[in-house]
Amino acid sequence: MSKRPAANPASEPSPRQPFVQALLRMAYEIARKHQLKKFKRHGLGDLKPALLNVMIYPHPDGVRPGDLAERINMTKQATNYLLGELEALGYIERRAQKGSKRRLVFLTQRGWQSIDLQRAAVQELETQWAKAIGQKRFDDFKETLTQLIALDKK
């Protein structure tokens, strides 16, 4: 068994401290749990975590399944499987627009209800977090994330 080389404390973070990616994932998981609890309380307990991967922002309304697959970083086959599940549960429908044979994904009334609940759950969580660390600090945090995301689009 090989030993890990000693880290240079001046240039590397402690191996026990999570990187930003891990912290963002943990915050995402907290938000996801909050959403799932809200769904269950409002009769949408059939929305499982895998299905929510399709229902993320920007919302899957008026989008081609292939474009959606790319956006959510899944294969077309996996995305179509999840779309089939969501369609069977009444959250989306796939239909062609007039004059086109290409089918697009559209949210149903139940789908939009789930989006509204997702947003409400996250707003509740953001309010809790802002109270815990202070509104100014939380606003600065969101602005910093927005700036970092914008860097990737350049």
Side-chain angles (χ1 to χ4, degrees), residues 3-4 6 22 24 31 39 44 47 54 63 72 83 90 110 131 142 144 146 150:
K3 284 190 168 185
R4 177 186 235 167
L24 290 171
F39 289 148
L44 302 180
L47 270 174
V54 176
V63 66
I72 62 176
L83 289 173
R110 184 173 173 88
K131 283 182 183 175
K142 283 181 69 172
T144 300
T146 301

Side-chain angles (χ1 to χ4, degrees), residues 16 18 20 35 65-66 70 72 84-85 87 98 111 114 117 121 124 139 154:
R16 296 187 188 275
V20 170
Q35 290 172 334
E70 189 175 317
I72 62 176
E85 297 253 330
E87 195 165 29
K98 291 181 181 178
S114 75
L117 287 172
E124 289 169 6
D139 290 344
K154 289 183 179 179

Side-chain angles (χ1 to χ4, degrees), residues 101-117:
K101 293 180 183 178
R102 189 174 297 235
R103 292 187 344 151
L104 302 176
V105 176
F106 292 94
L107 291 167
T108 62
Q109 183 176 353
R110 184 173 173 88
W112 282 113
Q113 179 188 9
S114 75
I115 296 298
D116 291 344
L117 287 172

Side-chain angles (χ1 to χ4, degrees), residues 28 32-33 36 39 45-56 82:
Y28 173 81
R32 180 58 59 96
K33 286 178 192 173
L36 290 169
F39 289 148
D46 53 0
L47 270 174
K48 304 299 181 211
L51 297 175
L52 288 181
N53 291 332
V54 176
M55 304 293 278
I56 61 173
L82 294 175

Side-chain angles (χ1 to χ4, degrees), residues 14-32:
S14 165
R16 296 187 188 275
Q17 291 182 342
F19 288 107
V20 170
Q21 177 190 14
L23 294 170
L24 290 171
R25 179 188 48 79
M26 288 185 271
Y28 173 81
E29 288 173 357
I30 291 167
R32 180 58 59 96

